[in-house]
Amino acid sequence: MSDSSRTIVAIVGSGLVGRAWAITFARGGCDVRLWDTDPSAAERAIAFIESVADTLAANDLLFGRSVADVLSSVTACEELPQALEGAVWVQECGPERLEVKREIFGRVDKLAAPAAILASSSSALLPSAISEGLEGRERCVVAHPINPPYLVPAVELVPAPWTAKAVMERAKAFLLSVGQAPLVMKRELDGFIMNRLQGALLEEAFRLVAHGYADADDVDRGIADGLALRWSFMGPFETIDLNAPGGVADYVARYQPMYAGLFEGMKERVDWAGPVLSKVLQSRRASLPEEGLAARQLWRDRRLMALRSHKRKAERDVGR
């Protein structure tokens, strides 16, 4: 049931990402409208939300709202204009193909209210490529979630060269208001923030295995049982700030020469699809047969729920 006092959000595309965004916005107090070119997709998304809502509530990840309240906040719409009516935020979640996103943004730009922010969930396409030539291009951004956003709060907020500063400020404030953690980029760049950081780590991981320095399982454990324990609460700059007596400047003075030397050996690129792939596959399938992937994905999401719940409690304890 729609509540006229709530902020209206339209989600265009109701697949894996769209349904995850729906949970995020609904528990944040928004009236969410789902639309998809496939008429049955929005209904399937709602069925998924119903299937996880109780577990989210048990982990205090509905932010104090009841399951009934969250479910009643999500509506499937048959027509795009119906979904867009009154929306102040439009989250596009279509296929990761430029021609598709440009077509969707062209339709939405003509139909949505002039003040509505148009955000793409694109993980790689630049906002300038998506919004170029649109009459309302100054209100277009990329808001790329680390999926699923109802468990992982970071959202990359990326402007096109013509995105209005006021739009970026409003977008940041809105994402904060629904419990997300916007990463505000000053200008667009291939890979944004997360894929560039993840890419650097994956490059070295593949290189270590390709040259026989370590097995894939040991590399995974080095992150899961080592670096990630700190990284689940702090980023690389805070990590090094706390890892030297005099903070980040002291760390740089002590360790930059070592890392400069390491970097010389990190410039070689290994073909991920080359011989190293068989080593990685052998290690992964020994640990987890292919038929166990779906169950392990569910396990991962449950553990993410528990971790997110723990982090929320910790942040409340320190008044963050």
Side-chain angles (χ1 to χ4, degrees), residues 197-273:
L197 290 174
Q198 182 171 245
L201 181 60
L202 284 171
E203 287 289 338
E204 186 57 31
F206 273 102
R207 196 159 36 239
L208 288 168
V209 175
H211 294 317
Y213 294 111
D215 292 332
D217 185 57
D218 291 295
V219 173
D220 273 355
R221 285 205 309 272
I223 300 299
D225 297 332
L227 295 176
L229 293 178
R230 291 186 302 216
W231 288 351
S232 65
F233 288 93
M234 62 187 67
F237 292 123
E238 185 175 3
T239 294
I240 66 172
D241 199 31
L242 301 180
N243 272 8
V248 65
D250 186 18
Y251 188 96
V252 170
R254 290 169 182 259
Y255 298 113
Q256 180 176 222
M258 177 190 73
Y259 284 110
L262 292 176
F263 182 67
E264 293 304 313
M266 295 176 175
K267 294 179 181 179
E268 174 201 2
R269 181 157 205 288
V270 169
D271 180 6
W272 296 6

Side-chain angles (χ1 to χ4, degrees), residues 118-192:
L118 311 185
S120 174
S121 298
S122 176
S123 59
L125 299 172
L126 296 178
S128 60
I130 296 171
S131 62
E132 184 178 11
L134 295 182
E135 184 176 347
R137 65 180 189 169
E138 75 285 344
R139 58 166 170 169
C140 297
V141 299
V142 161
H144 170 232
I146 288 71
N147 204 43
Y150 62 87
L151 297 181
V152 184
V155 180
E156 297 179 301
L157 192 57
V158 190
W162 42 74
T163 303
K165 182 179 179 181
V167 167
M168 290 294 288
E169 292 170 350
R170 285 172 52 212
K172 177 183 177 181
F174 174 70
L175 290 171
L176 286 170
S177 76
V178 296
Q180 298 305 98
L183 316 179
V184 183
M185 293 191 68
K186 298 182 182 301
R187 60 182 187 273
E188 64 180 19
L189 175 70
D190 288 335
F192 311 146

Side-chain angles (χ1 to χ4, degrees), residues 9 38 52 60 93 150 160 198:
V9 171
D38 175 1
V52 300
D60 192 28
C93 304
Y150 62 87
Q198 182 171 245

Side-chain angles (χ1 to χ4, degrees), residues 39-173:
S40 65
E43 295 296 344
R44 290 197 301 272
I46 291 174
F48 170 79
I49 297 168
E50 292 172 345
S51 74
V52 300
D54 286 333
T55 306
L56 291 171
N59 285 278
D60 192 28
L61 293 179
L62 293 185
F63 296 3
R65 288 184 166 80
S66 68
V67 170
D69 179 36
V70 169
L71 294 179
S72 69
S73 300
V74 183
T75 305
C77 296
E78 294 184 0
E79 303 294 336
L80 180 58
Q82 178 190 2
L84 295 174
E85 185 178 358
V88 301
W89 182 280
V90 181
Q91 189 73 41
E92 175 272 320
C93 304
E96 190 74 358
R97 299 200 302 273
L98 181 58
E99 67 276 11
V100 173
K101 293 192 181 294
R102 285 181 61 85
E103 191 273 334
I104 292 173
F105 264 72
R107 293 180 64 188
V108 170
D109 186 42
K110 293 177 181 177
L111 294 170
I117 293 176
L118 311 185
S120 174
S121 298
S122 176
S123 59
L125 299 172
L126 296 178
S128 60
I130 296 171
S131 62
E132 184 178 11
L134 295 182
E135 184 176 347
R137 65 180 189 169
E138 75 285 344
R139 58 166 170 169
C140 297
V141 299
V142 161
H144 170 232
I146 288 71
N147 204 43
Y150 62 87
L151 297 181
V152 184
V155 180
E156 297 179 301
L157 192 57
V158 190
W162 42 74
T163 303
K165 182 179 179 181
V167 167
M168 290 294 288
E169 292 170 350
R170 285 172 52 212
K172 177 183 177 181

